[in-house]
Structures are given as C-alpha cells and as structure tokens.
Amino acid sequence: MHSNQTFINPFARPLYVMLKPVGAVCNLRCRYCYYLEKKGLYPSVQNHVMNDALLEEFIRQYMESHTVPEILFTWHGGETLMRNIDFYRKALALQKKYGGGRRVDNVLQTNGTLLDDNWCRFFKDNHFLIGISIDGPQHCHDVYRKDREGRPSFHRVMKGIALLKKHDVAFNVMGVVNDYNVDYPLEFYRFFKSLECHYIQFAPVVEIMDGKPAPWNVPSGKWGDFLIAVFDEWVKQDVGTYYIQYFDSTLANWVGEPTGVCTLARTCGHAGVMEFNGDVYSCDHFVYPEYKLGNINDRTLIEMMYSEKQQKFGMDKYDTLPQQCRDCRYLFACNGECPKNRIARTASGEPGLNFLCEGYYKFFDHVAPGMDFMKRELMNRRPPANIMQAIKTSNNDE
C-alpha cells in the first residue's frame, strides 16, 4: 500500500558538514567506539585541536555556501567539551560576522560527563540543542561506556542531564544498541522516557574487528525484536508525544517523503565531516584515506562536497545494492541501510548485504499495517496519532 519513493537528489540539499574541533580526542574509552582509532590517521600530530584560523575559514566558507535563511552547525567528537567555552564563543562571534543576519542553529553532541553549570548556562543563553549519548539504565550503559581508567560513567552522565534540566537546555538522547542492551528494549525505552526527553535516537553497533564482526555488535534478529518491542508500546500510547527517529523515518519512506535519517535514505553523500586539521571526508563513518575529499585550506567546501568523487559516493549507496536487496519488498523503506554495515553476503553468496538485514525485514514486516494506517491518515490530512484510538477501539471490540 506504499507509494514508490520519489528520487531525491542529495546534492540539491543545502551543503552540510559536521565539525570535529578535537578530532577523535575523548575522555571516555567506550569499548565499541569506532572513532578513537582515527587518531592513527595523524600519528605525527601531538595536539589534535582546531586552531582559530581554521575555525574562521570553515565558518566563512560554510555560511557563504548557504543561500537558505537558516543554517545548522553540528559539533561532534571525540568529546566536544574538551574544547573550552571560549572556543565556542569565538565560533558564535564568527557565525554572526559571516551570517548576514540569518538564523544560525547549533547542535552539539557530548557524552555529558564534563557538563557543569557554566557549560549549561552558555548553552541556554545561546540556544544550543545538546545531544546526549547514554545507553539506557545503569546496568546497560556501564557495560561498554567507561573512562580511561575503566571506571563506569553512568552517574556522571546522569549528573550532566540533571544540569541540562536545571538550566532548561534543550536536549535529545542517543542510545547505542549493542549485544547486551538489545535484550532490554522496553526498559531501555521507558528509561529514556523517564528522562523527560521526547526525541530519541537509536544507533545499532555494527563494527569489524580483526576482519570479523565485533563481539559487541547487535545481533541482526535481535535488532528487529528490539525495534518491534519499542514500536508496539509507542504505537499504543506515545505517537505524537515521543518522537523516535527510526519510526518517523520509516513513516516518511512509507509516504514517499524524504527521510530524516541518512541510513534509510535512497542515497547519501550530502553530509560530510571535517577533522580538526581541515581534512574533509565523505562521511563520519568513512573517515579513511580513500574517502578523503581534500583539505579546506586547498579546496573549498563546495568543491569537495559537490565533487564527482562525493557524488559517486552518495549514489553508490543505491547503485551497489545486491540483487537480493533490489528484489526485496521493503527496499523502499530500507534502501540497504548504511553502506558501512554491508558486511554480510546474500543467500546466493553475493557480497554487500547489510549485517542487520534480517532484523530490518522483521521490523518492517511487523509495522507494515500500522504504517499503512498512519499513511492513510496523513494522506487525508489527519494526525497519525489517530492510530492509538484505533488500536484501543479494536482491542475493546475483541
């Protein structure tokens, strides 16, 4: 009952480049982290810190590349708070200098352990949206998210969240789903709701270690079970109140609208990343030499992000799909998911199958009736949240 998804050219979108002011430097040592190893790209560099001249050059180019009235900056790590407040004050001043009066939004991702009253006052005064990484309740979070000394970090993150609330700072939460916490979907979801956070992201762990899937990877079938369990609770009582990125993006694909998460989009390549030294890469998950587009001191952001190399990177997401994906009834909803996760083989032995294929298929198959209902509501200009009353009425009639 879905419509064919309209092809969206990712390069017709505004240029978007994530900024890493401290590269891969972090105060935690999360076992599954894919980014700490990126320090190895720059073995001769002692201080992985972006200098002021590079910061200004990036902000100038980034803002001049936009013709839209609103511009989004995303600050990512490593751990972003390992740069002090003065660095971000300089960034805000430069945004104002080059912004031409346009609205500028700032999103900053942090593990939350370094937050204090000064940081939170700064974020509140300057309207930052903060993304907090937390992997569920304590017994889930502390399995992998430890510091350099191997100490758990849960209580420090919770202290940081309490400070964000104290200062009324807007924040979202992102939980990494791994081989342990995947077995606690409802506890995981209800914990996030207890934080009074209404925007929730899940990020499944899929990494390669010594040429094999890492032991902390989320098992594919369990990933599907996890999403189904959360969906079944959400669809009965939380639609329109709690926004879960995977569910919103799935509904967008069902309707044939651009999805809000790149992993489920037909193409990618519109979101690059710039390291502390000005090197620009195709994607945050593809910071490898072969995906380097250049350096901002030698080439402009526009030249790099709209280059033939980057366009091919973006189109390859769809163009390199194995036949099993092309024949799948849920191709429109999944689009092969993230290329970095295509480390499995199809039943016929063809490479390029997503590691999480089984789980996604199970999830899409389960939610199809609910997605069809919400699609009809949207097409008739009614709120998708009507599904909750429909489920309640159906249960009462049984």
Side-chain angles (χ1 to χ4, degrees):
M1 297 182 67
H2 62 85
S3 63
N4 291 327
Q5 186 183 45
T6 302
F7 175 74
I8 303 295
N9 181 356
F11 304 98
R13 299 168 176 163
L15 183 147
Y16 175 80
V17 180
M18 182 187 299
L19 199 58
K20 291 185 175 280
V22 292
V25 177
C26 188
N27 62 317
L28 295 187
R29 290 295 180 270
C30 303
R31 186 82 185 277
Y32 55 67
C33 182
Y34 68 93
Y35 219 84
L36 288 178
E37 68 176 26
K38 305 306 177 187
K39 291 175 68 175
L41 291 171
Y42 308 101
S44 63
V45 179
Q46 297 296 319
N47 188 13
H48 289 224
V49 172
M50 183 176 295
N51 62 47
D52 291 351
L54 184 59
L55 174 67
E56 180 163 7
E57 181 62 17
F58 174 83
I59 290 177
R60 182 188 68 79
Q61 285 196 31
Y62 191 66
M63 301 196 84
E64 289 179 356
S65 72
H66 286 73
T67 58
V68 293
E70 299 179 3
I71 303 174
L72 176 66
F73 281 78
T74 301
W75 307 88
H76 217 277
E79 173 46 46
T80 49
L81 301 193
M82 295 189 77
R83 292 305 307 264
N84 60 31
I85 289 178
D86 286 342
F87 172 82
Y88 293 101
R89 286 198 180 103
K90 291 174 185 174
L92 293 176
L94 291 168
Q95 290 172 353
K96 186 175 181 180
K97 176 180 177 180
Y98 293 108
R102 290 173 291 177
R103 173 176 170 174
V104 178
D105 293 314
N106 286 280
V107 177
L108 182 143
Q109 188 71 28
T110 175
N111 61 42
T113 61
L114 301 178
L115 287 167
D116 59 21
D117 285 304
N118 288 333
W119 274 116
C120 291
R121 279 191 290 267
F122 172 78
F123 292 142
K124 176 62 177 177
D125 291 344
N126 294 287
H127 313 292
F128 273 65
L129 172 62
I130 303 301
I132 291 285
S133 299
I134 184 168
D135 291 355
Q138 184 175 4
H139 75 96
C140 293
H141 178 91
D142 282 342
V143 171
Y144 292 120
R145 296 188 69 84
K146 298 180 174 12
D147 65 16
R148 296 172 183 174
E149 287 72 42
R151 298 172 301 189
S153 62
F154 178 80
H155 289 298
R156 281 174 280 174
V157 181
M158 289 299 291
K159 180 182 177 182
I161 291 173
L163 287 168
L164 291 173
K165 290 182 177 181
K166 172 186 172 183
H167 292 277
D168 194 28
V169 178
F171 73 96
N172 298 341
V173 291
M174 184 186 75
V176 172
V177 183
N178 53 59
D179 66 311
Y180 178 82
N181 61 15
V182 71
D183 290 328
Y184 303 92
L186 293 185
E187 186 179 355
F188 194 98
Y189 178 45
R190 291 166 185 169
F191 169 76
F192 278 176
K193 289 171 64 176
S194 75
L195 299 178
E196 301 174 5
C197 180
H198 290 262
Y199 296 87
I200 301 168
Q201 298 180 51
F202 302 133
V205 172
V206 178
E207 297 295 335
I208 292 291
M209 184 178 181
D210 298 326
K212 300 178 181 179
W216 44 79
N217 283 0
V218 56
S220 182
K222 287 188 175 183
W223 171 237
D225 295 336
F226 176 94
L227 290 174
I228 288 169
V230 176
F231 179 86
D232 283 350
E233 177 155 314
W234 174 81
V235 79
K236 292 176 183 176
Q237 63 190 40
D238 295 328
V239 181
T241 304
Y242 288 90
Y243 299 88
I244 299 174
Q245 191 178 46
Y246 268 108
F247 302 163
D248 291 345
S249 294
T250 297
L251 180 57
N253 277 342
W254 229 265
V255 174
E257 294 294 328
T259 180
V261 56
C262 60
T263 56
L264 298 185
R266 179 178 169 125
T267 59
C268 58
H270 69 280
V273 58
M274 191 179 88
E275 275 286 350
F276 69 96
N277 67 342
D279 285 347
V280 177
Y281 294 86
S282 291
C283 170
D284 184 40
H285 289 283
F286 286 85
V287 179
Y288 300 103
E290 60 267 37
Y291 296 101
K292 180 179 170 181
L293 300 174
N295 188 285
I296 197 173
N297 291 312
D298 304 317
R299 302 183 69 193
T300 68
L301 289 173
I302 291 177
E303 287 176 322
M304 289 184 279
M305 290 302 296
Y306 295 121
S307 65
E308 288 187 13
K309 180 176 182 178
Q310 183 67 354
Q311 293 191 47
K312 184 178 185 303
F313 172 83
M315 302 303 290
D316 277 351
K317 180 180 182 185
Y318 186 86
D319 292 344
T320 61
L321 285 171
Q323 194 61 45
Q324 180 175 317
C325 293
R326 296 176 185 274
D327 295 339
C328 179
R329 64 187 297 190
Y330 294 120
L331 174 61
F332 76 97
C334 171
N335 289 302
E337 209 247 2
C338 184
K340 86 172 184 66
N341 295 339
R342 297 179 185 176
I343 59 175
R345 289 181 175 270
T346 67
S348 65
E350 187 179 2
L353 184 68
N354 196 289
F355 182 82
L356 300 174
C357 174
E358 176 191 350
Y360 277 116
Y361 192 96
K362 185 187 295 187
F363 167 66
F364 294 132
D365 211 41
H366 179 84
V367 305
M371 291 294 165
D372 287 339
F373 180 94
M374 289 188 284
K375 175 186 174 180
R376 286 194 298 271
E377 294 302 285
L378 282 170
M379 298 311 243
N380 288 285
R381 300 189 177 186
R382 297 189 296 261
N386 286 348
I387 193 173
M388 295 185 291
Q389 183 60 46
I391 291 172
K392 184 177 180 180
T393 300
S394 176
N395 289 340
N396 289 338
D397 290 343
E398 291 179 356

